[in-house]
Amino acid sequence: MKSKAVIFGNNSFAEMLKYYIEKYSGIKIYAFSVDRTYIRESSFCGLPVIPVEDTSILFPPDQYDFYVAVGYHQMNTLREDKLKSLCQKGYDLPNFIHPSVSMEEASIGSGNIILENTSIGFHAQIGNGNLIWNSCVISHECTLGNYNYLSPSCALAGRVSIRNNCFLGIHSTIRNDITVDDHTFIGASCYISHDTTPGSVHVPSRSVQLETNSWDLLEKGSV
């Protein structure tokens, strides 16, 4: 891991990632980068915004690492494409793992971002380019493939397998010994109790609005 880096992205996620990397990793961020077509401003957070097409010249890969601040767009394939493209340019893609993350004998690839208070259990295996938000639980012997997006407070019971390019919504829960196949979309608060099929979509029942007043419910002891 080098002491200098560039972040792909010029959004609020990129701003947050810069803050975390500089605070907790001791790495200096020197620029943000996006595709030339999408540059609207020449600077962001006081740093230059550089076309990614020019980064090899301005920020050579033997001196700078790259982090990618891209979310779940196109079922994570946009993040996947950027990470692979930067790797082909010769850049190292370090992990950022928040210091509050708890891990026990886990195996982790590259290009992952793992945020606050996540728990990664014994003998878990995590591939490349995953984005794991705060307070997730990845239990013992789970396998997380590549380019997945775990929203805050997702919970994976023991020996769950999440394959590639999946999206898990906030507070979603996966039962033990379940396989979530490629490109599965799991909505917020969904409970998965069976293996999924590639490209499937899973959502819980909708919340409904009762035709009454919340104060009345509290008074009647109905909630």
Side-chain angles (χ1 to χ4, degrees):
M1 183 183 297
K2 303 176 185 69
S3 61
K4 302 185 290 185
V6 178
I7 293 176
F8 183 90
N10 60 346
N11 49 26
S12 59
F13 179 23
E15 180 180 7
M16 182 192 77
L17 189 57
K18 173 184 181 295
Y19 168 82
Y20 280 152
I21 290 169
E22 292 189 332
K23 179 174 182 178
Y24 295 114
S25 300
I27 294 166
K28 176 71 174 174
I29 302 300
Y30 280 83
F32 296 93
S33 180
V34 296
D35 294 339
R36 191 187 308 277
T37 307
Y38 296 104
I39 293 181
R40 301 291 180 264
E41 302 289 340
S42 61
S43 65
F44 179 72
C45 295
L47 296 177
V49 177
I50 304 299
V52 71
E53 296 86 347
D54 299 341
T55 51
S56 296
I57 299 171
L58 298 172
F59 300 97
D62 62 336
Q63 300 177 38
Y64 294 84
D65 288 337
F66 239 103
Y67 294 86
V68 174
V70 174
Y72 52 79
H73 307 284
Q74 302 170 21
M75 287 301 289
N76 304 295
T77 56
L78 180 57
R79 186 169 72 257
E80 176 183 4
D81 290 345
K82 295 306 174 188
L83 285 162
K84 288 180 175 178
S85 174
L86 290 165
C87 185
Q88 289 172 358
K89 289 175 179 284
Y91 286 102
D92 289 332
L93 306 167
N95 297 313
F96 172 76
I97 302 174
H98 193 278
S100 64
V101 172
S102 170
M103 288 191 292
E104 292 292 342
E105 296 292 333
S107 169
I108 301 181
S110 64
N112 298 287
I113 298 171
I114 307 176
L115 297 180
E116 304 97 315
N117 300 314
T118 288
S119 175
I120 301 174
F122 179 71
H123 280 180
Q125 299 180 51
I126 296 176
N128 303 318
N130 296 287
L131 179 48
I132 303 171
W133 283 90
N134 50 293
S135 302
C136 290
V137 175
I138 300 172
S139 297
H140 62 95
E141 301 164 277
C142 284
T143 301
L144 192 64
N146 305 313
Y147 316 113
N148 296 292
Y149 185 103
L150 275 62
S151 303
S153 300
C154 291
L156 279 56
R159 298 177 299 278
V160 166
S161 176
I162 308 290
R163 289 189 175 162
N164 304 305
N165 296 91
C166 296
F167 173 91
L168 277 64
I170 188 169
H171 286 291
S172 56
T173 301
I174 317 297
R175 202 196 72 187
N176 59 294
D177 297 306
I178 293 299
T179 295
V180 176
D181 217 329
D182 296 340
H183 296 94
T184 295
F185 179 98
I186 297 172
S189 299
C190 200
Y191 175 67
I192 301 297
S193 59
H194 57 275
D195 294 348
T196 74
T197 55
S200 57
V201 176
H202 305 259
V203 295
S205 299
R206 289 180 177 270
S207 298
V208 296
Q209 179 178 336
L210 300 176
E211 296 299 327
T212 187
N213 185 289
S214 59
W215 294 101
D216 293 339
L217 289 176
L218 292 173
E219 289 295 327
K220 295 174 182 177
S222 300
V223 293

